[in-house]
Amino acid sequence: SEMDEEQRDMKARKAYYQRVDFVFNSLQGIPQLCPCGSITKEIVDEEDTYDYLPRKRYFICKDFENDGLHYRQPWVVGVQEEVERLKLKVLRHENLLTECEELKAQVAMLVKRVTELELLH
């Protein structure tokens, strides 16, 4: 019936918009794989200009179609996000190293106390 066909069409549109939303929200850093399963590559668009500078660079799905379901991200954005992600990772590692040094000092102090206690007995 016409009502069933309208509901199927509405569900298909909703599913499409959910996939587009997923692709949009998942695009962070330098993409390796597109949600479609294809690898991404780096391209230079000779015709695209930004602020009168030719040859804008992109990370793009090798099977790109302009339907919102494939990655096409400006190179600068991907690299900037990747740098920010790596800065946070380095900060976490620095914090972990600081904690390790503090724990190392505590262990050394405990070993010293245990040695002192063993000498007393």
Side-chain angles (χ1 to χ4, degrees):
S1 80
E2 193 173 311
M3 186 70 140
D4 291 338
E5 189 175 322
E6 187 176 323
Q7 281 187 325
R8 279 193 300 273
D9 184 51
M10 192 170 67
K11 285 182 180 181
R13 287 175 192 252
K14 183 179 179 183
Y16 169 76
Y17 290 125
Q18 285 174 336
R19 288 193 312 266
V20 169
D21 185 57
F22 166 76
V23 170
F24 176 76
N25 288 324
S26 69
L27 190 56
Q28 296 175 354
I30 298 173
Q32 304 298 315
L33 280 178
C34 184
C36 75
S38 292
I39 61 169
T40 56
K41 61 183 181 177
E42 189 177 326
I43 66 156
V44 176
D45 191 336
E46 299 290 340
E47 297 172 10
D48 191 357
T49 59
Y50 179 74
D51 290 339
Y52 304 104
L53 296 174
R55 302 175 34 197
K56 191 168 181 184
R57 297 168 70 178
Y58 291 94
F59 293 110
I60 190 168
C61 172
K62 74 175 186 70
D63 298 320
F64 179 77
E65 293 177 33
N66 195 10
D67 58 2
L69 299 176
H70 300 272
Y71 286 158
R72 181 175 188 262
Q73 180 186 44
W75 185 89
V76 170
V77 173
V79 170
Q80 181 181 7
E81 289 175 349
E82 190 74 12
V83 167
E84 291 301 320
R85 185 185 68 77
L86 291 172
K87 282 170 51 178
L88 288 174
K89 189 174 183 179
V90 167
L91 181 62
R92 285 194 305 270
H93 287 153
E94 285 176 347
N95 290 338
L96 187 59
L97 284 173
T98 302
E99 289 176 25
C100 286
E101 289 300 318
E102 292 170 1
L103 288 173
K104 196 171 158 184
Q106 288 177 2
V107 167
M109 181 191 64
L110 289 173
V111 167
K112 181 180 175 186
R113 284 187 181 175
V114 166
T115 304
E116 290 170 357
L117 286 173
E118 287 175 343
L119 291 175
L120 291 175
H121 291 309

